Amino acid sequence: MTLLASALAVSQPTLASDHPGKALAAKIGVPWPAVIAHRGASYDAPEETIPAYALARDLGADYLEMDIQRTKDGVLIALHDNTLGRTTNIAQVFPDRIKDPINTFTLAELKQLDAGSWFNAAHPDRARNSYVGLKILSLEEVMDVADAGENKPGLYVETKVPAQFPGVEADLQKLLEKRGWLAQRPAAAKGKVNVAHTPGRIILQTFEKPSLELLQKSMPQVPKVLLLWVGDGYMEAASTVSFKDSGIKDEATYYAGQEVKSKAEFQAWMDWAKAHGAKGIGPASAHKNGGDQSYMDMVKPWMTQMAHDRGLLIHPYTVDDDVDYKELSKRGADGFFTNRAANLLKFYGRPSHDSIDVLLRRNGY
Ligand code: G3P
Ligand code: CA
């Protein structure tokens, strides 16, 4: 990208001082606009592993994002999928348990798995020998990474499939308390990311209304974000034709045609979120060039206005390209979940001084 193009990428509406989200973010101590490293710097390293989180931290992301589940022996871990087939070598280690859910495995069993080699096979252009044999992390190990660098990012924690882990919200509260994340933490050095020191050091996120209620009950002072989706069990859709029955070949095209049933339905969700303590929403978003993260467009201007009018911040997921950062920012986004923290930091005019390669090597990868 030329210098001129790079300067233009930081569009005026993105950084306008009168942006409605900016004041909301300041009120609750959340950085604006926010760079949320989705599963860590997961474009460049295997998701939710040490190199992914260490890289996101060192690049300068505001938040390390993670999905929380619980092992059979009660340990909170960071893992997105509810089964292990996509991101581990379970087929070799426990071939008869490939489809078993996470809560049937102990931490010791999960630690036997290689959570890095799948990435090398899926992304040979970004593969590294050092990714072979990476481990699934406990939430405490993610906290250790967040603490270990000069930058002090916050944690953006999702309760994943919480109905499968009764009491996970209370477990999370206990662990955050034990590790000092519910009180003020030491400040970072001047010029470094200092989110962990601020009231917005933790953001709790969930797709599930009952989980939001439990999080609000156990940690009323911590900002919360309700994640949004259109379809079964979530916001009612205008059409109930499934992808399978739609005859459409690619999912991004199908999702792009999915609409919330009505403005009243969207408004009811915003009102519910506000009434139950949410400080923001995490909407799905549609992307110009499609792809497997391109879903229904829940960042329409009337939607962002409705959210901002109710005092809710807007952090769309999961956005990696400048063209989408630019468009969705214009419509009111207050930051993004991104797999490509380096890209988003550059877009916001705060690029990392060091390259991805340098930072990975510095951390031993
Ligand atoms: O948590 C925001 C975004 O991560 C939601 O999607 O499926 O990647 O957890 P998912
Ligand atoms: Ca997530």
Side-chain angles (χ1 to χ4, degrees):
M1 186 184 272
T2 65
L3 272 182
L4 178 63
S6 168
L8 288 174
V10 184
S11 59
Q12 273 318 105
T14 310
L15 299 176
S17 57
D18 59 351
H19 191 294
K22 190 172 182 183
L24 292 174
K27 213 163 118 192
I28 53 173
V30 166
W32 188 94
V35 175
I36 305 154
H38 181 247
R39 309 181 200 172
S42 57
Y43 180 85
D44 296 290
E47 62 187 58
E48 312 209 23
T49 64
I50 287 183
Y53 286 123
L55 176 58
R57 176 198 68 201
D58 294 349
L59 283 166
D62 295 308
Y63 289 101
L64 309 184
E65 194 265 354
M66 72 223 65
D67 307 285
I68 294 304
Q69 301 191 56
R70 192 174 58 204
T71 63
K72 188 177 175 184
D73 48 340
V75 181
L76 297 185
I77 58 157
L79 192 72
H80 179 269
D81 296 6
N82 195 226
T83 52
L84 293 151
R86 182 179 65 89
T87 60
T88 76
N89 63 339
I90 188 163
Q92 279 85 58
V93 183
F94 303 114
D96 51 344
R97 299 172 73 185
I98 294 174
K99 296 206 165 139
D100 291 0
I102 303 307
N103 61 354
T104 62
F105 291 84
T106 63
L107 183 67
E109 286 172 336
L110 293 179
K111 287 287 187 185
Q112 293 175 44
L113 300 172
D114 172 350
S117 291
W118 72 273
F119 180 93
N120 288 350
H123 308 292
D125 53 321
R126 287 164 255 154
R128 289 180 178 248
N129 290 337
S130 55
Y131 292 164
V132 174
L134 290 173
K135 300 293 179 203
I136 289 173
L137 301 177
S138 66
L139 174 55
E140 290 215 68
E141 289 170 317
V142 182
M143 292 172 173
D144 292 340
V145 177
D147 278 340
E150 292 188 311
N151 286 331
K152 303 295 180 193
L155 305 177
Y156 207 124
V157 186
E158 179 181 351
T159 53
K160 203 59 154 181
V161 283
Q164 197 177 101
F165 306 104
V168 70
E169 296 83 3
D171 290 351
L172 183 56
Q173 189 274 336
K174 276 187 217 121
L175 183 57
L176 290 171
E177 176 93 57
K178 181 184 104 177
R179 292 290 303 248
W181 276 88
L182 296 180
Q184 192 169 50
R185 300 176 70 72
K190 198 161 178 279
K192 300 294 176 187
V193 173
N194 194 32
V195 178
H197 180 64
T198 69
R201 68 183 65 85
I202 303 274
I203 298 183
L204 302 170
Q205 43 156 347
T206 182
F207 281 100
E208 312 301 331
K209 287 178 172 178
S211 190
L212 188 91
E213 291 180 288
L214 290 169
L215 292 169
Q216 177 66 4
K217 203 166 152 204
S218 62
M219 291 172 273
Q221 76 285 15
V222 178
K224 281 156 217 88
V225 160
L226 183 63
L227 300 169
L228 303 181
W229 182 256
V230 171
D232 244 6
Y234 301 97
M235 252 182 234
E236 203 177 330
S239 153
T240 53
V241 179
S242 68
F243 172 59
K244 205 160 97 319
D245 296 335
S246 69
I248 297 172
K249 292 272 175 311
D250 77 294
E251 286 193 312
T253 306
Y254 167 76
Y255 285 130
Q258 288 291 95
E259 297 275 353
V260 62
K261 189 178 178 195
S262 62
K263 284 194 177 177
E265 170 72 356
F266 192 87
Q267 184 179 327
W269 277 70
M270 295 305 97
D271 289 341
W272 189 95
K274 178 75 184 167
H276 291 82
K279 299 290 186 213
I281 54 166
S285 59
H287 304 157
K288 184 165 193 298
N289 298 318
D292 60 6
Q293 302 180 130
S294 186
Y295 302 120
M296 60 288 298
D297 178 6
M298 303 183 83
V299 196
K300 295 189 197 313
W302 65 264
M303 296 170 166
T304 58
Q305 186 173 345
M306 219 179 242
H308 278 152
D309 285 352
R310 283 160 181 74
L312 298 168
L313 287 171
I314 299 152
H315 291 159
Y317 64 90
T318 301
V319 187
D320 287 348
D321 293 335
D322 282 12
V323 65
D324 299 311
Y325 299 147
K326 198 168 177 179
E327 174 58 24
L328 299 175
S329 296
K330 217 168 21 180
R331 298 193 207 164
D334 298 307
F336 295 101
F337 291 88
T338 183
N339 299 321
R340 303 189 73 167
N343 267 9
L344 183 54
L345 286 161
K346 207 188 311 168
F347 176 77
Y348 283 147
R350 30 183 282 224
S352 164
H353 172 75
D354 294 309
S355 70
I356 286 165
D357 184 58
V358 163
L359 295 176
L360 282 168
R361 282 173 190 272
R362 197 174 288 160
N363 282 300
Y365 294 96

